Amino acid sequence: MKNYKSKIKLEMKIDIIGAGICGLTTAIALKEKGFDVQVFEQAKEIKPVGAGIIIANNAMQVFEKFGLKNIIAKNGNPISCVKISKPNLDEISKINLEYFEHKFGVGNIAISRGVLQQILSDRLGSESIILDHKLNRVIKSTDGFQLDFENGGQQKSNILLAADGLNSIIRKNLFQINSLRKTNQLCWRGITPYQLPLKLRNELNEAWGKGDRFGFVQISKSEVYWFAVKSFVNKRDELSVNKIDEYFGNYHPIIKELISLTPKEKIHTDELIDLKPIKNWSSGNVCLIGDAAHATTPNMGQGACQAIEDAYVLAECLGKYSPEKAFRNFQKIRFQKVNQVVKTSWALGKVAHFENPLAVNLRNRIFRLTPESVNRKKLDKIFNLDIN
């Protein structure tokens, strides 16, 4: 029986669209199980981007299973505390992560997204990544799928995984109508050479103002990743990166310095958008994963982490069942958890952007008085990997 399963795996070729963190991690997980995998990526090369990421405890547990824990930790910075503060960095709330480090045996690592993506692509191997293949259209046929690429190339696929993000072409082509939700919040992200004061070096700090917020974290010995978010009323064009210094002029000097040290042309601008939860992630031999299935706002730092969990769970399911059954079980296992993350993250983003002074004061008081045990219980559900 074991040899039969191994033979089936070797004959089962799986195509993944998207070589982001989700697609690469999924490919690694599937190769660990003995599957033949190829990843199609629209970019002509995998190159660093100007953003950072917190690889939270749950995602680090997955990477530990693949033997990537040490290299990720070596190239990042350990984070043992998350703080919410006022614009002047006066503390509102603090979550100590050391409890989870001891419980699960791994920490939380802040790292450059580009560095992480390079670690993953190196582990997977360039022979499994097909660059310069932007998917234009996917057509379902009786014997699988036809993939049409922008460069004129075509590919027949029997088993297809969509790791192509929030604006997934596969989701648009093959699944029922689904909608993106706009937060009316604009986010700027940057990485700058900087060393935070020692007391802040192993913390993720997020300062909440009135209708805006600013977060920062050390991602290496010499670099800090920061993000700034501001609400807008009608159009995102109301806000300009050239005025970001002005928008956050009443924040702590460290925050103003981080902004001023980052060249404007290297600051990435995005509107915060999520995907309204959808009922079906799969149809036959095609399955949505990561942001293509459950894109969330970044307010809980779990977007990529949930995608990394997807990779682990999906590989476990495909190692046991036929693709259709594996995809159904995958969604059954993951559905409740990821939708709770999407829901909570959406609500947290709204709360963080209160503008009424009375509402802001009440918010800060509630967060300040929330017992650590309550926060720990919530995080325990997120950090615990569930494959049952």
Side-chain angles (χ1 to χ4, degrees):
M1 188 67 172
K2 183 177 181 182
N3 291 334
Y4 172 75
K5 284 189 175 181
S6 297
K7 183 180 179 182
I8 292 295
K9 288 179 185 178
L10 290 172
E11 294 176 349
M12 190 186 295
K13 193 166 190 176
I14 300 176
D15 296 310
I16 300 174
I17 303 299
I21 292 171
C22 179
L24 292 174
T25 306
T26 302
I28 291 169
L30 290 171
K31 285 191 77 172
E32 288 281 312
K33 292 289 183 182
F35 291 102
D36 184 5
V37 183
Q38 59 183 356
V39 183
F40 294 93
E41 166 57 32
Q42 65 179 350
K44 294 183 179 181
E45 61 178 317
I46 294 179
K47 55 184 180 181
V49 293
I53 183 176
I54 302 290
I55 310 178
N57 198 289
N58 51 324
M60 283 300 292
Q61 290 177 62
V62 173
F63 284 139
E64 182 181 36
K65 294 177 185 295
F66 303 149
L68 293 169
K69 169 187 170 182
N70 291 339
I71 189 171
I72 290 173
K74 181 181 178 181
N75 284 275
N77 182 53
I79 301 301
S80 295
C81 178
V82 177
K83 282 184 179 178
I84 297 173
S85 69
K86 296 179 181 179
N88 62 3
L89 295 188
D90 283 353
E91 183 180 314
I92 296 173
S93 175
K94 176 180 177 180
I95 302 175
N96 193 326
L97 300 175
E98 292 180 346
Y99 167 83
F100 300 103
E101 295 172 8
H102 295 301
K103 179 176 181 178
F104 296 111
V106 296
N108 301 266
I109 303 295
I111 191 172
S112 161
R113 277 183 176 267
V115 171
L116 175 61
Q117 197 171 7
Q118 191 63 57
I119 290 171
L120 296 177
S121 61
D122 288 346
R123 171 59 183 274
L124 178 61
S126 59
E127 69 279 0
S128 297
I129 306 171
I130 303 174
L131 299 171
D132 193 21
H133 274 65
K134 181 179 181 179
L135 185 66
N136 267 355
R137 183 177 62 167
V138 54
I139 303 171
K140 192 171 184 178
S141 61
T142 54
D143 59 346
F145 308 92
Q146 178 179 305
L147 308 178
D148 293 339
F149 297 97
E150 191 176 79
N151 60 12
Q154 291 185 329
Q155 172 79 18
K156 285 287 186 180
S157 178
N158 294 319
I159 303 170
L160 184 61
L161 301 180
D164 51 346
L166 176 68
N167 296 299
S168 170
I169 294 296
I170 295 175
R171 192 182 69 237
K172 290 177 182 178
N173 284 188
L174 300 181
F175 290 79
Q176 64 183 13
I177 297 174
N178 42 75
S179 59
L180 304 183
R181 299 189 298 186
K182 295 186 177 183
T183 63
N184 285 354
Q185 295 174 4
L186 200 62
C187 181
W188 298 278
R189 296 180 174 93
I191 292 178
T192 191
Y194 196 85
Q195 192 170 71
L196 293 169
L198 187 61
K199 65 178 182 178
L200 303 177
R201 213 163 288 170
N202 299 108
E203 299 178 352
L204 168 62
N205 277 275
E206 189 166 320
W208 289 2
K210 297 176 182 179
D212 49 42
R213 56 195 151 117
F214 191 99
F216 58 93
V217 64
Q218 195 87 41
I219 59 171
S220 69
K221 291 181 179 179
S222 59
E223 290 183 315
V224 167
Y225 163 60
W226 61 263
F227 57 90
V229 187
K230 187 170 178 61
S231 297
F232 60 90
V233 180
N234 296 311
K235 298 179 180 179
R236 57 179 285 177
D237 293 342
E238 296 172 355
L239 302 177
S240 169
V241 68
N242 294 318
K243 294 184 178 180
I244 190 172
D245 310 76
E246 175 186 329
Y247 300 148
F248 295 89
N250 65 330
Y251 275 66
H252 192 279
I254 286 177
I255 291 173
K256 291 190 286 186
E257 190 173 8
L258 288 171
I259 293 173
S260 67
L261 289 173
T262 311
K264 295 293 190 295
E265 64 273 14
K266 292 188 177 181
I267 297 176
H268 295 256
T269 305
D270 293 294
E271 186 177 345
L272 297 188
I273 299 172
D274 78 357
L275 175 66
K276 186 176 180 180
I278 57 178
K279 294 182 179 179
N280 296 313
W281 298 353
S282 65
S283 176
N285 279 8
V286 59
C287 187
L288 307 173
I289 54 176
D291 281 355
H294 47 75
T296 181
T297 51
N299 306 314
M300 294 178 66
Q302 277 290 314
C305 296
Q306 289 302 309
I308 292 163
E309 270 200 58
D310 278 358
Y312 167 65
V313 174
L314 182 59
E316 290 294 312
C317 290
L318 281 167
K320 299 175 183 177
Y321 309 114
S322 67
E324 285 195 51
K325 186 175 181 181
F327 295 158
R328 289 195 299 270
N329 277 269
F330 162 66
Q331 179 172 339
K332 184 178 180 181
I333 293 168
R334 298 286 295 133
F335 193 76
Q336 183 176 355
K337 182 175 183 179
V338 296
N339 281 337
Q340 186 60 43
V341 168
V342 171
K343 179 181 177 181
T344 304
S345 184
W346 178 271
L348 188 61
K350 296 299 182 183
V351 169
H353 280 245
F354 282 167
E355 296 189 46
N356 183 287
L358 292 176
V360 169
N361 289 334
L362 179 60
R363 174 197 70 190
N364 293 352
R365 180 175 175 81
I366 291 173
F367 272 79
R368 185 181 295 113
L369 296 176
T370 300
E372 185 175 352
S373 59
V374 172
N375 291 327
R376 181 180 293 178
K377 186 176 181 179
K378 291 177 181 177
L379 284 178
D380 198 57
K381 290 181 179 180
I382 293 174
F383 290 164
N384 187 55
L385 295 182
D386 188 5
I387 191 61
N388 297 320

